[in-house]
Amino acid sequence: MTDETVPSGGSGRAPGTDPAPDMSWFAWGDPAKAAALDPGLRDLISQVLGAPLEDLPPVPEERVELPPSRLETRPREALAGVVGDGRVRTDDAVRLRHSGGKSTPDLLLRRAGSADPAPDAVLYPADHGEVQRVLEVCSAERVAVVPFGGGTSVVGGVAPLRGGFRAVVALDLRRLDRLVSVDTTSMTAVLGAGVRTPHAEAMLAEHGCTLGHLPQSYEYASIGGYAATRSSGQASSGYGRFEDMVVSLRVATPRGALETGGPPASAAGPDLGRLVLGSEGTLGVITEVGLRIRRRPERVLDEAWSFPDFATGAEALRSLAQSDVRPTMARLLDESETFVGAAMGGREATPGCQAVLGFEGAGAEVEARAASVREAMAAAGGAPLGPEPVAHWRSNRFSAPYLRDTLLSAGVLAETLETAASWTDLLPLYTAVSDALTGVLEDGEGGAVVMCHVSHTYPTGASLYFTVATAAGAAPLERWGRAKRAASDAIAAHGGTITHHHAVGTDHRPWMAAEIGPLGGEVLRAVKAALDPEGVLNPGKLIPAP
């Protein structure tokens, strides 16, 4: 085995790969991929939801109202002196595309013609040094800074809040997009924070390697964003969560650079890298991420299983998570999601609940693991369905956000929320959240379809990922806001975490104090005061108010 290194001064770009373009200002990704809703299907959805559907098309871009830029001449000139005048953008088109994330409330506001808040400028630094100097200028000039990777946040994480400061800038990290180094002896790589996942995989593939991180935001999300939000991908059972892959971090703060990690293990005090992972840009801006990488798998084997009910399927996944032999990917759909998934795909629905399992690795090892898991699934009451349902699931994996946008245009709110709990609390939590959502949404404006799946499993518990569809009604923002609050209160009251992998942002911040306790909040505020004494980094996110 050889040690391959990409020189730090090189581009590290795989041939033929270009950064993904900006996502649409009013939808996920490329809106051309969101097909119009078939009239017959629209009528069926209206019947199921018990309400007429009213179209919610976006206004023309020229009608979107943005507040005027409040970035004053002195800080603008100072920032231009760092990144270059052409890298400080204040035009409306660029500001609009950095005015928030991709949650349904985000899109509802912009579709209706409102982009307030919007950043006063968008900056495009080239490297760690420029990021560092930008933060120093912003701290001195009291300008808020919101780090911006792929813009995929669905919890208000990239909302450009001023936080009481005179102006706010979005710090777009797309130019930090190179493979800094790769070491195939130690099986590690260092990537710029702005690298988007397809680009990362293309560069690593040249060395026969992979990250194995495939969240639904895969096409647009950035490496730095994954670290900042403690992301989790579909193959977490085999590859781990993103935080499990991180071996080092380089972070710019208003006080200077913070560098963590390096050796494979250390007892030199608390792990400062763990403070940065999940900090959502409130403590510093991640500029480089050192990661554990894997050899590209020789074989991928998929199998689906059917279980008579959600409880039986969850028990089967618990037995797998607590065994010595686990699949690389394991998911369990409840009865509603199993039925809807089959109906949307034009397939006959499998009674009960469907589980999708995937195995990756060397050929013989994959088959041996799959054989052991088959025995466990059968013993737990499962019936084999073969690979076809998993193939269908994989082929539609990244199209769900586009379907959400198609439904939104037709007047249907289709939104998601997630949590995690111990195996003991999992099913009571599932019932409590489902009841909370239906209790709020089954009102005079129609009903709701609530679906759920177990998306990630651990020896001690699992995550629950809910999808909700309901008629938008006369006031869609308020309607979804009531449902989200009810679900979040149910999560907090029944042993769940307020977020498993979507992060905190603004949406979940009201529940943070209860989750981490008064002393935990004090610790976070103390760390922020040490690294960001003026408080300019991503104000209004994550850290609970005193």
Side-chain angles (χ1 to χ4, degrees):
M1 188 178 295
T2 60
D3 178 6
E4 304 176 65
T5 301
V6 176
S8 60
S11 71
R13 182 180 295 284
T17 62
D18 295 312
D22 285 330
M23 288 196 282
S24 166
W25 62 269
F26 66 85
W28 179 270
D30 178 0
K33 295 182 179 179
L37 196 62
D38 177 81
L41 182 57
R42 179 186 174 120
D43 290 343
L44 177 60
I45 292 172
S46 178
Q47 292 175 28
V48 170
L49 298 181
L53 303 182
E54 300 290 338
D55 288 346
L56 293 172
V59 302
E61 182 173 350
E62 60 272 16
R63 286 179 49 196
V64 179
E65 296 180 1
L66 284 83
S69 174
R70 291 168 52 179
L71 186 63
E72 297 174 353
T73 300
R74 188 178 71 182
R76 190 195 190 289
E77 289 179 348
L79 292 169
V82 175
V83 301
D85 190 62
R87 304 291 184 181
V88 180
R89 299 286 297 274
T90 57
D91 49 298
D92 284 355
V94 171
R95 293 172 60 218
L96 173 60
R97 285 159 178 79
H98 292 79
S99 61
K102 296 299 180 182
S103 70
T104 293
D106 289 332
L107 300 184
L108 282 169
L109 283 169
R110 293 199 287 275
R111 282 169 172 259
S114 173
D116 188 1
D120 297 295
V122 180
L123 312 182
Y124 296 89
D127 53 29
H128 173 88
E130 288 193 2
V131 173
Q132 181 67 62
R133 293 194 296 276
V134 163
L135 298 188
E136 292 166 0
V137 168
C138 288
S139 185
E141 295 289 343
R142 295 186 56 77
V143 173
V145 183
V146 178
F148 195 98
T152 62
S153 173
V154 292
V155 294
V158 295
L161 304 181
R162 290 190 177 90
F165 296 101
R166 65 182 68 180
V168 57
V169 297
L171 194 63
D172 191 310
L173 302 172
R174 72 180 64 197
R175 297 176 70 201
L176 280 67
D177 68 342
R178 62 192 179 92
L179 177 61
V180 179
S181 65
V182 58
D183 178 349
T184 56
T185 298
S186 302
M187 292 302 286
T188 59
V190 178
L191 289 157
V195 178
R196 294 186 181 179
T197 339
H199 184 200
E201 288 294 342
M203 292 189 291
L204 291 174
E206 291 191 336
H207 304 275
C209 298
T210 182
L211 284 179
H213 190 66
L214 281 90
Q216 198 165 57
S217 58
Y218 172 90
E219 295 171 292
Y220 290 93
S222 68
I223 295 297
Y226 290 145
T229 58
R230 297 174 71 184
S231 173
S232 196
Q234 69 188 40
S236 62
S237 295
Y239 293 103
R241 288 164 61 90
F242 193 79
E243 65 196 84
D244 301 323
M245 305 174 187
V246 175
V247 298
S248 65
L249 294 167
R250 191 179 191 194
V251 186
T253 82
R255 294 280 309 281
L258 179 66
E259 302 200 21
T260 73
S266 172
D271 184 353
L272 296 179
R274 291 284 161 176
L275 280 173
V276 178
L277 290 169
S279 61
E280 302 183 29
T282 63
L283 305 180
V285 177
I286 297 168
T287 59
E288 292 179 3
V289 184
L291 294 160
R292 184 188 70 209
I293 55 178
R294 306 291 185 93
R295 293 291 174 193
R296 293 181 69 81
E298 296 176 7
R299 185 182 180 192
V300 176
L301 187 155
D302 291 333
E303 294 181 345
W305 290 78
S306 176
F307 292 91
D309 52 58
F310 194 56
T312 304
E315 180 63 17
L317 262 60
R318 182 185 71 83
S319 70
L320 285 185
Q322 294 175 347
S323 73
D324 294 329
V325 180
R326 293 187 292 274
T328 308
M329 176 191 71
R331 295 193 160 207
L332 173 71
L333 287 60
D334 73 357
E335 291 90 342
S336 295
E337 191 159 332
T338 298
F339 177 82
V340 170
M344 295 296 289
R347 298 174 291 116
E348 184 177 353
T350 302
C353 297
Q354 180 177 287
V356 292
L357 307 180
F359 304 83
E360 298 180 15
E365 180 265 343
V366 163
E367 185 52 49
R369 276 196 295 144
S372 296
V373 169
R374 285 184 204 116
E375 291 182 9
M377 293 291 94
L385 299 174
E388 192 278 332
V390 191
H392 182 269
W393 177 82
R394 286 189 186 274
S395 68
N396 291 279
R397 171 74 173 127
F398 302 118
S399 64
Y402 293 106
L403 176 59
R404 184 272 306 262
D405 293 344
T406 294
L407 292 171
L408 186 57
S409 293
V412 177
L413 302 184
E415 187 58 298
T416 62
L417 56 92
E418 39 74 55
T419 181
S422 69
W423 288 110
T424 298
D425 292 335
L426 195 72
L427 291 179
L429 177 63
Y430 165 74
T431 300
V433 175
S434 299
D435 289 348
L437 289 166
T438 55
V440 169
L441 293 173
E442 291 184 352
D443 56 14
E445 293 192 286
V449 174
V450 178
M451 301 170 281
C452 183
H453 63 263
V454 173
S455 60
H456 306 273
T457 61
Y458 309 92
T460 59
S463 68
L464 294 172
Y465 194 98
F466 292 86
T467 301
V468 187
T470 188
L477 277 171
E478 290 79 0
R479 183 168 168 78
W480 174 248
R482 291 192 299 272
K484 175 74 172 181
R485 287 191 296 273
S488 297
D489 287 342
I491 287 169
H494 290 82
T497 175
I498 196 60
T499 177
H500 170 263
H501 61 269
H502 280 174
V504 177
T506 57
D507 291 9
H508 297 142
R509 188 174 180 237
W511 290 270
M512 271 294 284
E515 178 141 339
I516 65 175
L519 185 57
E522 188 175 332
V523 169
L524 284 182
R525 290 189 292 273
V527 174
K528 183 171 178 65
L531 298 175
D532 177 24
E534 297 300 324
V536 297
L537 288 170
N538 215 7
K541 319 293 172 51
L542 177 66
I543 300 175

